[in-house]
Amino acid sequence: MSDKIKELNVDRLKDPARRKLLAGTSAIGLTGFLAGGVWSLPADALAKGEPAGSQLLGFKGIAASTADKIVTADGYQAEVLISWGDPLVNGAAAFDPNGKNSASDQEKQFGDNNDGMSFFPVDENRGVLAINNEYVNEQYLFAHGGSKAISEEDVRKSQAAHGISIVEIQRGADNRWQVVRPSRYNRRITANTPMVFSGPAAGDKALQTVADPSGTRVLGTFGNCANGKTPWGTYLTCEENFDTYFGTSKSDYQVTPAQKRYTLNPNEAERNWADFDARFDMAKNPNEFNRHGWIVEIDPLDPTSTPIKRTALGRFKHENAAVTVAKNGHLVVYMGDDERGEYIYKFVSDGVVDSANPTANSTLLDNGTLYVAEFNGDAQGTPLKGSGRWLELTHGKQGLTAENGFQSQADVLINARGAADRVNATRMDRPEWIAVNPHDGRAYCTLTNNSKRGDEGMPVNPANPRPKNVYGQIIRWDENGDATARQFDWDMFVLCGNPIAHPQGVNRGTPNITAENTFNSPDGLGFDRDGRLWILTDGKYSNQGDYAGQGNNQMLVGDPASGEIRRFMVGPKSCELTGIAFTPDYKTMFVNVQHPGEEGDSTFPNNSPRPRSSVIMVTRKDGGVLGA
């Protein structure tokens, strides 16, 4: 996701007893713990940056880069598959490098700032990619080069560049994948595409508007960050920074506590859609705000299908949806709320997955229980590990009652953040992507950074142990093979840091961080079938101060068993590397280059005056399995 998010209000205090750290988790205790090391990596190999003998990582790590190009590990190659503005459906106009494409043109072109994505095979050599288009870079989108829309046409073009692009691709004789045009599958889902609500909140009065008095039909999706994929072949797209799209025509508009909890500030909207589209004017349509911040299910192989906003999964700033099937057959979805001091959630379906009849699974995401995580320290006071539990978010339980402002289960889901506050869940350092190891079922979550950690209202805690956390970490939890369990154990896979800038102390990172692989702000995350953990970053790329020697944003690969991490790929200037999808043979990987040149310093991918977010495909030159 874009790192340019709204500041979180941090004036909500917890019970003081819950803010105390267990012995040993102070900065001093953590420093001593890191100095001793807890990983199995040989200390001399770490110091020299040499491979530590991982049997899982079959490539040599590469150096950081500040070049305006893709750099990959030796023996690999990266090529552009499709870029923002490329024609997608019949009748689509070609991309205009001067920004003069119309809103109608953009509705038929590949969207902007592609983020999470999934691959859906059609046959051995054909498949469909569903790709999020999170937001836009206005200075490149609009021909006038301004940072704000100046007309209704500008707003319509911006709305058309948001959402999802669904793209058919085909593998040729040279083993390269290409976009299929025309294709019955190719389509755009935008900020104005008709959708429906389902689940416990559908029809609730908080979702009703003048345009939709039933509270069951809604237009569009935007702020689509990462994604998930169901066992029955549908795509889950996650609405994240939806608050930044809502403004007001009323200078004295008063934000309600519930709206403030979702960081709404209509007088300082990042995008001024409300100036030309009344749907986004809080003074005119206050309930429209409640109709976004959901997970949306899309069938990429049925171009006639209607997207569904699944309210049972809760409303917050969804990063991704990590889907797994528990041993007892119940569907489990892990989710992060990407903002400073927010929470990690889990949904467990009431029913079980029917692998023989995919259509029977259509209501699994409507009926189940939503939980939020509490992370506690280790009983012996050992830093970077502990236990935890999942706290149920069900109306009538744990104080989620009418007396405390929750009138129904719909109310709990629409105001999921407030419900998580009420049950005293653990405030985390921006929970982003979650991925589940296919071999042992452990879930990993990127906590990308939190410069406000340690401030009043957001003290350090066992799972978020560093004040002013500018580097982030990856935490993992183990539910002992039962994804539906209410208890778990957790530890830290990596505490990111920079030994170049900080040779000692908590900001050097855990022992699996070296001068050769140093990085900040882990964001995207994904496992391959062999259990390699692919890590993508969305952090600071100044290459100075705290970030000296870290270069551009990058992709790394970790070995969950040994903890070793190697840098695999580096992106062009000012970009985020995000999104990851593999072909079924794991010989092609698709990765997104988002917002290259957001600082005005890139011409990626083709020396254009307007840099373009793109999907790239990565392969081994010898045609082998990636990473092996």
Side-chain angles (χ1 to χ4, degrees):
M1 61 146 285
S2 170
D3 203 30
K4 298 178 179 178
I5 61 171
K6 299 295 183 183
E7 292 287 338
L8 174 66
N9 293 311
V10 293
D11 57 346
R12 305 181 313 277
L13 299 180
K14 299 289 188 182
D15 177 357
R18 292 182 52 79
R19 303 204 310 264
K20 294 180 180 178
L21 295 176
L22 295 180
T25 56
S26 67
I28 295 176
L30 184 59
T31 299
F33 176 74
L34 295 178
V38 292
W39 276 262
S40 59
L41 298 174
D44 58 343
L46 284 170
K48 298 176 184 177
E50 297 174 353
S54 169
Q55 299 300 306
L56 198 59
L57 308 182
F59 64 93
K60 183 178 180 180
I62 63 173
S65 169
T66 59
D68 191 28
K69 63 180 181 179
I70 298 287
V71 182
T72 64
D74 289 346
Y76 288 82
Q77 57 194 359
E79 303 171 84
V80 172
L81 176 70
I82 192 170
S83 298
W84 161 54
D86 281 348
L88 190 61
V89 301
N90 287 343
F95 176 74
D96 187 327
N98 297 309
K100 294 182 178 179
N101 285 120
S102 67
S104 296
D105 290 341
Q106 181 63 76
E107 288 174 348
K108 299 177 181 180
Q109 297 170 329
F110 188 75
D112 199 6
N113 281 336
N114 35 296
D115 203 314
M117 62 182 163
S118 294
F119 179 81
F120 298 85
V122 174
D123 58 35
E124 184 178 356
N125 293 308
R126 294 169 59 229
V128 170
L129 281 170
I131 306 163
N132 288 349
N133 299 116
E134 184 182 8
Y135 70 110
V136 299
N137 295 105
E138 282 85 356
Q139 72 270 32
Y140 301 132
L141 180 72
F142 302 139
H144 57 71
S147 61
K148 295 287 186 180
I150 60 174
S151 66
E152 182 180 354
E153 170 71 9
D154 277 356
V155 170
R156 286 185 56 239
K157 185 176 182 181
S158 178
Q159 292 171 341
H162 283 72
I164 296 93
S165 297
I166 297 178
V167 185
E168 183 182 359
I169 58 175
Q170 184 169 7
R171 179 161 45 192
D174 58 359
N175 208 37
R176 294 175 63 255
W177 293 84
Q178 294 182 324
V179 174
V180 177
R181 302 184 186 91
S183 167
R184 63 180 293 265
Y185 297 113
N186 291 358
R187 62 170 165 154
R188 286 298 321 287
I189 295 170
T190 74
N192 290 306
T193 299
M195 303 182 178
V196 297
F197 286 113
S198 70
D204 188 80
K205 63 180 181 180
L207 301 184
Q208 297 171 4
T209 64
V210 173
D212 173 35
S214 71
T216 60
R217 306 191 69 82
V218 60
L219 291 180
T221 185
F222 44 86
N224 303 85
C225 191
N227 59 298
K229 184 179 180 181
T230 68
W232 52 92
T234 58
Y235 183 68
L236 302 180
T237 184
C238 301
E239 298 178 341
E240 191 194 26
N241 291 319
F242 62 96
D243 59 308
T244 65
Y245 295 83
F246 289 87
T248 182
S249 57
K250 189 176 180 182
S251 60
D252 60 348
Y253 181 86
Q254 295 296 309
V255 175
T256 68
Q259 293 168 346
K260 184 178 181 180
R261 188 62 187 83
Y262 286 88
T263 62
L264 176 67
N265 188 346
N267 293 311
E268 297 183 8
E270 187 173 340
R271 288 176 178 82
N272 62 325
W273 288 4
D275 291 349
F276 301 96
D277 187 341
R279 181 158 67 100
F280 295 91
D281 188 326
M282 292 299 300
K284 298 177 180 178
N285 289 291
N287 276 3
E288 186 68 26
F289 184 67
N290 301 327
R291 291 152 65 88
H292 304 279
W294 303 99
I295 285 181
V296 187
E297 184 176 15
I298 297 166
D299 187 345
L301 300 182
D302 181 2
T304 67
S305 61
T306 299
I308 304 172
K309 297 200 176 191
R310 299 288 187 182
T311 65
L313 298 175
R315 174 175 166 265
F316 43 89
K317 293 187 179 181
H318 287 277
E319 179 73 14
N320 85 323
V323 180
T324 189
V325 178
K327 289 182 178 179
N328 59 12
H330 291 271
L331 189 78
V332 175
V333 186
Y334 299 104
M335 300 166 284
D337 183 352
D338 181 13
E339 199 151 56
R340 297 183 183 113
E342 291 303 334
Y343 305 111
I344 294 173
Y345 298 81
K346 176 171 83 169
F347 172 84
V348 179
S349 68
D350 289 344
V352 297
V353 176
D354 187 342
S355 57
N357 183 15
T359 58
N361 301 311
S362 61
T363 61
L364 280 183
L365 292 174
D366 286 339
N367 301 287
T369 304
L370 185 65
Y371 300 90
V372 66
E374 175 187 73
F375 289 81
N376 299 308
D378 178 62
Q380 285 72 47
T382 307
L384 306 188
K385 63 183 297 185
S387 62
R389 57 179 181 153
W390 293 103
L391 308 173
E392 186 174 348
L393 298 180
T394 297
H395 183 252
K397 298 182 178 181
Q398 301 193 92
L400 301 178
T401 61
E403 292 78 8
N404 292 317
F406 299 95
Q407 306 298 324
S408 64
Q409 184 61 19
D411 215 13
V412 170
L413 297 170
I414 293 169
N415 300 287
R417 283 185 171 180
D421 291 343
R422 182 70 199 179
V423 302
N424 287 325
T426 302
R427 303 179 68 186
M428 308 296 284
D429 287 347
R430 285 186 60 190
E432 298 222 36
W433 294 53
I434 301 174
V436 179
N437 190 326
H439 293 281
D440 61 18
R442 280 185 178 180
Y444 291 61
C445 178
T446 51
L447 302 174
T448 198
N449 58 52
N450 184 356
S451 61
K452 300 293 185 181
R453 178 62 67 184
D455 288 358
E456 186 66 19
M458 205 185 305
V460 294
N461 59 47
N464 306 271
R466 287 186 297 191
K468 309 298 181 186
N469 179 15
V470 299
Y471 292 116
Q473 62 256 21
I474 300 176
I475 197 169
R476 61 184 176 184
W477 58 89
D478 186 350
E479 294 163 309
N480 297 313
D482 180 8
T484 66
R486 299 283 294 272
Q487 309 289 329
F488 58 87
D489 295 314
W490 66 268
D491 68 357
M492 203 70 69
F493 175 68
V494 60
L495 200 65
C496 303
N498 190 353
I500 299 171
H502 303 282
Q504 297 180 335
V506 295
N507 283 328
R508 81 153 310 281
T510 40
N512 52 350
I513 293 295
T514 72
E516 282 68 31
N517 71 6
T518 175
F519 65 98
N520 74 86
S521 303
D523 188 335
L525 207 60
F527 277 99
D528 62 25
R529 67 182 178 191
D530 294 322
R532 282 175 284 267
L533 180 64
W534 298 78
I535 305 163
L536 303 98
T537 72
D538 177 24
K540 300 295 185 181
Y541 38 74
S542 68
N543 218 36
Q544 298 176 354
D546 286 336
Y547 311 103
Q550 294 188 324
N552 298 342
N553 278 306
Q554 58 200 264
M555 171 183 273
L556 308 102
V557 190
D559 180 343
S562 70
E564 185 180 0
I565 298 171
R566 299 182 192 173
R567 185 182 291 111
F568 175 81
M569 183 168 67
V570 183
K573 290 184 176 181
S574 301
C575 83
E576 169 190 354
L577 288 185
T578 182
I580 182 170
F582 294 94
T583 53
D585 59 9
Y586 286 86
K587 293 183 177 181
T588 302
M589 173 173 61
F590 302 99
V591 181
N592 287 320
V593 177
Q594 188 189 85
H595 61 70
E598 68 174 355
E599 300 296 336
D601 56 357
S602 176
T603 60
F604 182 86
N606 54 4
N607 295 316
S608 168
R610 277 177 161 73
R612 301 164 69 189
S613 295
S614 303
V615 182
I616 62 170
M617 48 187 174
V618 181
T619 55
R620 272 174 55 164
K621 293 178 180 178
D622 65 3
V625 172
L626 292 152

